[in-house]
Amino acid sequence: AGEEVTITYKQIRGDYKIHAGGWYLRALGDKTWIHYRLHVDLGKPLPKWVINIFTKGALKTTLDNVTKRARAR
């Protein structure tokens, strides 16, 4: 296995009850394996369809932006 990098974060204060996550990266030859973990608790219930819309859109946008920056190097 190649070099591994871990970046984690945790909200100190803000609007969410919990907002924490991390990026886990591993070099695989000329490619990089990326694992992104996110834990969010808004502190109030939301319908599952609202959560699904947000998470699918936000995750795709985030990964697209990471890919674009990585390819620009």
Side-chain angles (χ1 to χ4, degrees), residues 7 15 20-21 38-39 67:
I7 303 166
D15 296 331
L38 175 65
H39 179 189
T67 301

Side-chain angles (χ1 to χ4, degrees), residues 4 6 13 15 17 22 24-26 35 37 41-42 47 50 53 55 67-69:
E4 295 185 20
T6 300
R13 63 179 151 323
D15 296 331
K17 183 175 177 182
Y24 309 89
L25 302 98
R26 182 181 308 137
H35 179 95
R37 178 174 284 170
D41 183 344
L42 301 176
V50 172
I53 289 170
T55 55
T67 301
K68 184 190 302 183
R69 291 198 58 175

Side-chain angles (χ1 to χ4, degrees), residues 14-40:
D15 296 331
Y16 302 123
K17 183 175 177 182
I18 299 170
H19 185 189
W23 292 89
Y24 309 89
L25 302 98
R26 182 181 308 137
L28 298 173
D30 63 343
K31 299 183 185 258
T32 303
W33 173 86
I34 299 174
H35 179 95
Y36 176 63
R37 178 174 284 170
L38 175 65
H39 179 189
V40 175

